[in-house]
Amino acid sequence: MKICCIGAGYVGGPTMAMIAHKCPDIQVFVVDINQVRIDAWNSDGLPVYEPGLQEIVEENRGKNLHFTTDVDAHIRDADIIFMSVNTPTKQYGVGKGRAADLKFIELCARRIAEVAEGHKIVVEKSTLPVRTAETVKRILANTPHGATFDVLSNPEFLAEGTAMSDLENPDRVLIGGESAEAIETLVNVYARWVSREKILTTNLWSSELSKLAANAFLAQRISSINAISALCEATQADVDEVAHAIGTDSRIGPKFLKASVGFGGSCFQKDILNLVYLCEHYGLQDVANYWEQVILMNDHQKVRFARNMVRTMFNTVSGKRIAIWGFAFKKDTNDTRESAAIYICRDLLDEHAHLAIYDPKVSERQIKADLRAAFSRDGVLSDRHAKLIEENVLICASPLEAAQDAHGVAVMTEWDEFKTIAPEALFQAVFKPAFLFDGRNILDHAAYLKQGFEVYAIGKGLLEG
Ligand SMILES: NC(=O)c1ccc[n+]([C@@H]2O[C@H](COP(=O)([O-])OP(=O)(O)OC[C@H]3O[C@@H](n4cnc5c(N)ncnc54)[C@H](O)[C@@H]3O)[C@@H](O)[C@H]2O)c1
């Protein structure tokens, strides 16, 4: 059997690496139009950082795992074709800022229709609006070589940072489709390492919608606890204590109840916006409003954090150096898409702060590109903002270097290494009064207070020693 996966991104790369690893008899080809990305997959510096990924790629690459830009040849050869291309929020025209931009998925489907021969199973791996398979099927119906297709939906539930263990031990695999034979073929691939009870099969539309609904529910929990965090700060309740108290209720459960500076990542916001757009499309305005509130709450949390920083530092951060610890949207990934750090840095730069940023896995090029994008309006960056990024942003090689002579230190990402910094060392590095803003509640606040810091923690407010 041969598998072709179109899209060598955060999903295509790790997912196919796991399939190749678990199924040595299947040849897996990951194809992409982006030559730089493919070259990186074939090098020692993989384009995606995930614990455990490098080892699995190195073990299988060149044997039954291949990365190439030869899209057409591998579409032609494959029995199963996964579409794992990006489906970002549309930035133009009808549905701008809400609908999913399906141009990449459409291009993919058209390419498959154009070059395929014989019978293929086409699998939607990308997250798509419910009923996209209808469009895919219509495009595939127009094929010059008489090819025939079964379309399946097989959304991916991996979380970045834990992708490899999620793929190895998924809570479930979801496969939606119409042809029992095609479903069984794909079930048989996953069944090599996932127990059959965990492989759920549904109709196409349930599968497509379940992915959007799962992300909406996950994000909703974060916005819910973040909403409570604001109330905690106003009332001297402690959000970690509240989260623990409510999480022990088995109906609620303890996971995803960690208050933070706000959720990020490429999926939650875009998938909820997509859900909101779909609800509006079907005339369900109240349902749309309900889900949109999850995003508005998340935006509020980011703005609130930046405002609190400014207010705490005597209502001005102009000309002050602020250490930003972490830029990735969560630990153990190099992905910065929609990271809360981007928007907090933007707001602080707008207040003319000088930012000294450290992240163990994110490059200077990526950080500056994200900041430029955050300040751009319709793709245009003003000279003033370009200058601000050029002159007021310094990328540092360690947390303590970033903190040197800083007026404040802000934790944006929950990287484990931040917990290993000695409060004394940090206290010596920074200006006094020493301000610490913990946007992830990961540090030992009591130790920092004892050292003489003024500590602001999410859902706890300004702490007193
Ligand atoms: N990142 C996640 O954690 C995650 C989790 C679950 C689901 N998803 C979904 O999976 C999909 C892919 O996400 P990602 O994070 O891997 O995106 P990504 O941007 O990292 O990768 C997508 C890749 O597709 C390639 N591509 C686009 N059009 C192409 C074409 N016509 N032919 C060949 N290659 C093409 C791009 O060059 C890019 O390398 C999205 O729909 C996303 O919502 C993502």
Side-chain angles (χ1 to χ4, degrees):
M1 179 185 277
K2 286 189 182 141
I3 287 179
C4 169
C5 172
I6 309 179
Y10 282 84
V11 168
T15 312
M16 293 303 128
M18 187 56 72
I19 290 181
H21 185 61
K22 297 290 184 184
C23 313
D25 56 313
I26 299 181
Q27 285 292 324
V28 180
F29 295 86
V30 189
V31 301
D32 204 295
I33 42 176
N34 183 335
Q35 182 74 54
V36 175
R37 222 170 203 191
I38 290 297
D39 289 346
W41 279 111
N42 284 318
S43 75
D44 292 339
L46 302 186
V48 170
Y49 173 73
E50 276 293 336
L53 174 65
Q54 179 109 14
E55 293 79 346
I56 287 195
V57 168
E58 280 172 4
E59 198 182 320
N60 300 284
R61 193 173 49 195
K63 292 181 191 154
N64 67 329
L65 176 65
H66 314 271
F67 297 93
T68 162
T69 51
D70 198 350
V71 179
D72 290 3
H74 296 292
I75 289 177
R76 221 173 276 126
D77 275 359
D79 302 290
I80 304 179
I81 304 165
F82 285 85
M83 297 191 290
S84 189
V85 295
N86 37 329
T87 49
T89 304
K90 208 174 162 199
Q91 298 300 339
Y92 51 87
V94 177
K96 178 180 174 180
R98 286 166 112 74
D101 190 343
L102 296 180
K103 77 174 169 213
F104 304 105
I105 212 83
E106 179 166 345
L107 280 171
C108 242
R110 285 189 187 279
R111 204 66 223 141
I112 297 170
E114 182 65 31
V115 302
E117 293 164 10
H119 185 74
K120 313 278 182 203
I121 296 175
V122 175
V123 184
E124 297 174 342
K125 180 55 96 179
S126 300
T127 303
L128 297 166
V130 54
R131 296 207 75 86
T132 303
E134 201 163 69
T135 310
V136 171
K137 281 194 276 183
R138 284 189 61 194
I139 293 170
L140 293 177
N142 295 287
T143 175
H145 306 294
T148 52
F149 302 95
D150 282 310
V151 177
L152 300 178
S153 159
N154 170 221
E156 184 49 61
F157 292 101
L158 67 80
E160 287 179 29
T162 52
M164 301 321 282
S165 55
D166 294 344
L167 286 166
E168 186 150 30
N169 263 315
D171 287 341
R172 72 335 207 158
V173 167
L174 180 58
I175 300 173
E178 284 157 349
S179 149
E181 204 183 324
I183 292 174
E184 194 52 24
T185 305
L186 189 55
V187 167
N188 282 334
V189 172
Y190 286 106
R192 313 281 189 99
W193 78 96
V194 180
S195 62
R196 290 246 167 188
E197 319 77 81
K198 286 190 171 180
I199 304 177
L200 314 180
T201 56
T202 65
N203 79 30
L204 266 172
W205 322 122
S206 305
S207 174
E208 287 179 334
L209 183 55
S210 294
K211 175 64 193 176
L212 292 183
N215 274 354
F217 272 62
L218 290 169
Q220 180 204 44
R221 280 176 72 93
I222 300 176
S223 277
S224 296
I225 198 68
N226 281 343
I228 294 298
S229 78
L231 188 57
C232 286
E233 288 170 35
T235 57
Q236 292 185 316
D238 177 320
V239 75
D240 284 341
E241 291 178 355
V242 174
H244 180 65
I246 62 175
T248 49
D249 185 325
S250 60
R251 293 166 303 175
I252 296 174
K255 292 186 182 165
F256 261 57
L257 283 181
K258 182 86 184 144
S260 72
V261 75
F263 61 73
S266 63
C267 294
F268 283 176
Q269 175 164 311
K270 113 176 141 59
D271 292 347
I272 295 174
L273 285 170
N274 185 344
L275 189 66
V276 168
Y277 187 73
L278 275 166
C279 293
E280 285 170 347
H281 171 81
Y282 288 104
L284 303 166
Q285 194 56 50
D286 289 337
V287 184
N289 295 346
Y290 174 77
W291 286 110
E292 187 166 24
Q293 206 55 42
V294 173
I295 294 176
L296 297 179
M297 186 61 230
N298 196 49
D299 290 341
H300 172 67
Q301 188 77 344
K302 292 180 270 190
V303 169
R304 203 168 74 76
F305 190 81
R307 273 199 202 135
N308 265 330
M309 285 181 69
V310 175
R311 193 178 312 129
T312 308
M313 287 190 280
F314 314 116
N315 289 310
T316 176
V317 290
S318 177
K320 292 181 182 169
R321 176 166 168 144
I322 298 174
I324 300 292
W325 282 6
F327 204 78
F329 84 92
K330 68 193 290 201
K331 74 170 181 177
D332 291 339
T333 178
N334 60 342
D335 197 348
T336 59
R337 289 176 289 183
E338 292 302 327
S339 177
I342 300 172
Y343 301 100
I344 286 160
C345 288
R346 180 197 60 193
D347 290 356
L348 294 172
L349 284 170
D350 244 346
E351 293 283 342
H352 297 178
H354 286 252
L355 303 183
I357 305 175
Y358 167 73
D359 188 287
K361 291 290 174 198
V362 182
S363 66
E364 170 161 2
R365 191 188 53 76
Q366 187 63 50
I367 292 173
K368 294 213 167 147
D370 287 336
L371 292 174
R372 280 196 293 272
F375 275 116
S376 296
R377 289 284 159 268
D378 288 325
V380 179
L381 180 68
S382 71
D383 290 346
R384 183 172 76 82
H385 288 134
K387 199 161 164 246
L388 209 53
I389 295 167
E390 219 29 67
E391 294 180 356
N392 286 22
V393 176
L394 178 70
I395 309 301
C396 298
S398 75
L400 283 178
E401 184 191 323
Q404 193 59 50
D405 297 331
H407 288 258
V409 176
V411 178
M412 295 285 114
T413 312
E414 71 279 25
W415 287 106
D416 289 335
E417 71 172 280
F418 300 149
K419 293 191 258 182
T420 65
I421 305 285
E424 310 88 277
L426 188 63
F427 195 70
Q428 271 173 24
V430 297
F431 267 135
K432 318 297 179 303
F435 291 108
L436 178 66
F437 302 91
D438 191 350
R440 298 283 181 167
N441 286 354
I442 55 161
L443 300 182
D444 180 349
H445 298 148
Y448 277 92
L449 286 168
K450 197 163 157 226
Q451 188 62 52
F453 279 90
E454 302 208 13
V455 179
Y456 166 82
I458 289 277
K460 298 166 195 267
L462 201 53
L463 298 171
E464 282 162 26

